[in-house]
Every structure is written in C-alpha cells, then in structure tokens.
Amino acid sequence: PGSARRPPADGGATSDWPTDVSGGSDDDSAPETRPAPQRPATVPEAAARPASADEGVGASGAEAAAATPTGAALSTAEAEQIRHAHTARLTEVTFLRHSDPRFMHGRAYNGPARAPQCTWRSSKPPRDDHDAPSWLTASEFADDAEVLRAKCRQLAQLMRISRKTVAYTGAGISASVIGQAARSGEHTVGWKPDTRKAKPTFTHHALGLLGQRDLIHSWVQQNHDGLPQKAGFPQERINEIHGSWYDPSNPVVKYSGSLHDRAFPWMERDATDADLVLVLGTSLGGLNADQVATNAAERSLRGGALGSVIINLQQTEQDGKMTLRFFGKSDDVLRLLLAELGFGRPSFGAPSWPRESRALVPYDAEGRRTTGGRRMWLDLRDGQLVRITKGHNIQGARQPQYMHIGARKPVTYKGVTRQPAEGRGRVAKREDDTASFRLDIECAQMRLGIWWLDVAIRGAVEVLPIVNTNPVFEG
C-alpha cells in the first residue's frame, strides 16, 4: 500500500521521525519532528493591507462559513466567485525561490512586507541525520504583529471559501508535551516523561474545534500521540498515516514498514482533492504523505486549488510553493485565526468520554459496521477477552515486539521466541489519565483510545480495531 518514506527528487531528507526511538513505555514509536529553516531575508516595505475578513462562522462549507468584508454571509455562488478570484491570482504567481523576498510570506500574501524577525539563529541544519540545502538551517523566526494579523485575515477568508480543507501536521504541534528529534531553540531534543498522559496543546484544541465546525474536513496526522482525539477531533476524520499509540490495528510504522492499506488510499484521496491544506509542525522533508501539501500547491498553479498554507517557526524547502507562509508558534497563530473566524477566545476542556466501558454498537462479530439488525455489545471492562480485527497493519508496521501477531512462522524478539499468533488478549485496565484501555495482546502491551468506544456507538467507522473474542448481541 505504500512506504512511509519517499526519496525526494531534490535529494532532501526522507523522514522527520527517527526509526527506533521508544517515546515511552508501550512501543517502539517516535514523534514526528519539527519544521525546517533559513536565514532572514530583507523584504522591501510596501504592499496594500488585505481586506478585512469578517466575524461569523456558519455550520458547514463555503455557503455557511464564508463572509464578506461587511460581515454578511455569502451564498454558495458568491463564495465561488471569491474563490475563483483567489485561484486565478495563484495561476499568475509561480513557485518562489528561497532568495525571493516573498518566500517568507507566500505567493498570495497581500499585506505589509516586513521580514520576520529571527528569534533563534543557528548555522546548523535542522537535523544531523537529514540532508538539507546549504541555506536551510535550524534558525527560527516570528512574523511582525501586523503581518501576522494580515495573514490570519487572509487565511480566515480562504477557510471560509474552501471546498475541502485538510490539516497536515507533524511533531512541531506536540513538541512541548511529547518531544522531538529536530534541532530547535524552542524545545530540546528528546522525549518528555509520561508521553501517554500528555494533554493536548492549544493548537490541538483549536484544530479540534475547527473540525467540529466543519472548517477542517480531514486531518492527515504524522504523529502517533492521540492528542487530536483527546482534543475532540473526530476519529473518523483523522488519518494516522504513520500509525498510532491508541489503535492496535495500526501500530506505529517503522522506516522499513509499509502504510496501512486503509490509511494510504485515504491519504492519496486527500492529496488529490484537497482545496486548501493547512501545514503545521512538519519540515516537509520528503515523507510520502508530504504529497498532501505539495500536490495542492501544484494544483494551485493551474487554478485547481487554493493551495497550501504553512505555519512553522522554521523554514522548509517547500515554502516557495505556499499560498501563505506563517512564522510563529502555532498556538499564537491559531488564537488569532479563531478570533478572525468569529470564535473569540474559546476555553477548552477534555471531551466527555463514555463513563461506562460497555455499549451496544452497530457492528457484527468481525467488527464491520452493519445497518439494521441486532447490535453487538462491545465490552471493554477490565478483564474482558478481545481480539484484533482482520485487516490490521501489524505485519506492515514491522514493530519487532508485535511481529509474531499475524506471522507465518516463529519470531524471536529480545532472545524470546514467540509462536505465530492471531491477536487475542484481554483488557488489562481502563486508564482515564491516559484516555485509553490498556490491552494485553499475545504477551505484548497495546492501547486503545477510550474515544473508540464513542466511535463505535455512533457507527462512525467501517471497521473497529478490536472486538470481543466471543461477542454477545442484544435480544
């Protein structure tokens, strides 16, 4: 179904995340790293201030979400007219070289042309284990306050008129609570303690709110940390392309592994039909999934998309392709963006997970969604017997401690030989502090996010990650 790594045409790095780093006690997973960089350029002063994007967000899509400079809601036809003007402008601006002053702002930026301030200077590349062009360093930048406000107004309008907005994120949005592998002035390299107990950042909560309000329609997540779901983003709309700490059917994918056969086509669809892509916390250094961002940018040259927008502290090789280019902390940028979209200053808390660990769900004994008929009890109380459903990516992920599950012959790991196993086990314990059920599966420890119980109750996904070994049905 596709490799996690894709050698980039320009010879750049092939991945943001290390191959064999633990990231905690449960598995051989690793956080996606942070953005990439450059040195400050001198940008000429000028440019007109962009039209103000108004307050007021509707429930869904361009008709409900777009607004005129006077605050009146747009019809679908009016939103499409504005979108056409944006896409026509993008066809007139080719990709920018890193020496172009507009490289620091974006191809469609229309506002004060002051260069971002260098907040941390480095002469070294973002990571020692990745290739980078000579101009690309780990230096970090922050946009001028007026420039940042102008970019947020423009991004708010793009989101209001977008036909389909996709978020594409990496380790930068989780670095403060999970850890990172890239060189940075903002965070130290390495893992934070108790990664499974990490709480979502403001960025996760903001993206979760935008997902709930249908302003973000899909999320391609490089990270494995479950923080988007802990912030309330719907599981059925998040593609954990490199695997998850909280989905036993989709373990973290190693460099040598292959992507899940459900995740890979989903990513390709988003790469094909996203109208607007929001890129946060990733260096766009050559991962297979980077095509989500770069393909939308390519389509914008032909008038087929609004393109991609990136929010990072550091520069990337792909910045010249961006419709808008933000420098700053994603938390700070998204606070301003939410205000521009009419959300004011929202306060966030943890979602309300089901208190009971047992529920009737519209699935069959194989974990496949059904329509009509008897519902199945999904019983995740402590001690209940469970099994991983068919179609998992355990063999594809190639995590050594799980390789006996679905194997055809015995597997030796850390001096212990394990026989091929189907993927059966039990619920060890519900842990509310990690928002997960801890599972013992074939002598290996796994986790299932508590939110999966809510997903199952709603029948929100086609196939569940686990079912009970001998499920019981209502009636």
Side-chain angles (χ1 to χ4, degrees):
S3 170
R5 61 188 297 176
R6 177 189 64 186
D10 55 13
T14 55
S15 173
D16 279 347
W17 45 281
T19 311
D20 296 294
V21 182
S22 170
S25 60
D26 286 351
D27 52 33
D28 287 346
S29 52
E32 209 26 65
T33 59
R34 296 246 341 225
Q38 178 190 353
R39 299 181 182 130
T42 302
V43 182
E45 204 72 19
R49 187 179 180 83
S52 174
D54 343 45
E55 308 282 318
V57 174
S60 161
E63 180 175 7
T68 67
T70 59
L74 293 175
S75 68
T76 300
E78 290 169 329
E80 283 295 309
Q81 278 188 324
I82 295 175
R83 181 186 175 280
H84 177 73
H86 278 286
T87 54
R89 180 182 178 189
L90 286 165
T91 63
E92 299 171 355
V93 184
T94 188
F95 291 161
L96 308 173
R97 296 178 62 84
H98 79 271
S99 56
D100 191 314
R102 296 172 296 172
F103 190 83
M104 309 292 277
H105 297 294
R107 295 162 53 225
Y109 174 64
N110 180 25
R114 288 187 285 277
Q117 178 185 2
C118 183
T119 58
W120 181 71
R121 189 177 298 278
S122 174
S123 61
K124 297 179 180 180
R127 286 175 58 163
D128 293 330
D129 58 347
H130 286 182
D131 295 330
S134 59
W135 59 264
L136 190 58
T137 73
S139 298
E140 296 178 350
F141 301 89
D143 278 324
D144 168 84
E146 188 178 4
V147 170
L148 182 57
R149 287 193 295 270
K151 290 178 179 178
C152 283
R153 283 193 293 271
Q154 288 182 259
L155 177 54
Q157 186 176 64
L158 292 175
M159 294 187 72
R160 289 178 171 121
I161 62 176
S162 171
R163 295 171 178 171
K164 177 181 178 180
T165 298
V166 175
Y168 179 52
T169 63
I173 67 169
S174 299
S176 63
V177 292
I178 296 293
Q180 67 176 56
R183 184 175 284 111
S184 169
E186 186 67 27
H187 302 291
T188 57
V189 173
W191 291 96
K192 304 289 185 180
D194 295 326
T195 54
R196 303 310 186 270
K197 296 180 181 179
K199 304 300 181 187
T201 66
F202 183 90
T203 293
H204 293 104
H205 283 296
L207 296 176
L209 175 61
L210 294 174
Q212 293 164 18
R213 299 300 179 90
D214 285 337
L215 285 166
I216 293 178
H217 307 101
S218 185
W219 185 340
V220 181
Q221 154 86 323
Q222 296 177 10
N223 301 338
H224 329 297
D225 51 38
L227 295 179
Q229 297 93 319
K230 291 181 181 182
F233 196 91
Q235 172 69 50
E236 62 269 23
R237 283 198 270 151
I238 186 161
N239 183 353
E240 294 169 295
I241 189 68
H242 295 150
S244 173
W245 292 341
Y246 298 98
D247 180 353
S249 71
N250 187 26
V252 175
V253 181
K254 291 175 69 68
Y255 250 157
S256 57
S258 57
L259 305 179
H260 197 294
D261 60 6
R262 288 195 294 267
F264 186 70
W266 182 0
M267 179 269 290
E268 289 193 310
R269 287 194 299 272
D270 281 345
T272 299
D273 59 19
D275 194 22
L276 178 67
V277 177
L278 302 184
V279 182
L280 301 96
T282 176
S283 64
L284 296 178
L287 292 175
N288 200 323
D290 288 352
Q291 64 183 282
V292 175
T294 56
N295 285 9
E298 294 281 353
R299 289 196 301 279
S300 74
L301 291 174
R302 305 186 297 273
L306 294 171
S308 295
V309 173
I310 189 167
I311 302 170
N312 271 345
L313 285 166
Q314 299 176 329
Q315 289 183 300
T316 83
E317 290 184 72
Q318 307 298 333
D319 285 358
K321 299 178 181 180
M322 298 295 119
T323 298
L324 289 172
R325 207 299 173 211
F326 288 78
F327 286 100
K329 299 177 183 178
S330 59
D331 286 1
D332 297 337
V333 173
L334 291 180
R335 280 191 179 90
L336 288 176
L337 178 63
L338 290 185
E340 288 292 340
L341 288 168
F343 291 108
R345 296 173 177 265
S347 58
F348 297 114
S352 298
W353 309 122
R355 292 188 176 183
E356 297 294 326
S357 298
R358 178 176 182 262
L360 283 168
V361 301
Y363 290 85
D364 65 18
E366 298 302 317
R368 296 194 168 274
R369 186 172 53 204
T370 60
T371 55
R374 296 187 304 163
R375 291 175 297 172
M376 177 183 70
W377 283 103
L378 182 61
D379 193 345
L380 300 178
R381 292 175 296 180
D382 293 0
Q384 293 299 307
L385 300 181
V386 295
R387 60 181 172 86
I388 300 174
T389 54
K390 295 179 181 178
H392 59 73
N393 194 46
I394 292 174
Q395 288 295 305
R398 302 197 64 78
Q399 289 292 343
Q401 71 273 37
Y402 304 143
M403 286 301 290
H404 60 296
I405 300 174
R408 297 181 178 179
K409 58 184 180 180
V411 174
T412 300
Y413 173 63
K414 291 187 175 180
V416 177
T417 299
R418 295 174 176 173
Q419 296 300 314
E422 180 183 350
R424 294 173 179 261
R426 66 183 185 90
V427 179
K429 186 180 180 181
R430 173 171 171 154
E431 296 180 349
D432 288 298
D433 58 348
T434 64
S436 69
F437 297 98
R438 183 160 50 83
L439 311 176
D440 291 332
I441 304 290
E442 307 289 5
C443 300
Q445 188 176 105
M446 294 179 156
R447 289 184 184 272
L448 179 76
I450 289 177
W451 54 85
W452 278 103
L453 190 58
D454 172 71
V455 170
I457 292 170
R458 294 185 289 110
V461 297
E462 182 180 348
V463 182
L464 296 176
I466 67 169
V467 293
N468 290 107
T469 302
N470 297 299
V472 176
F473 289 81
E474 65 179 339

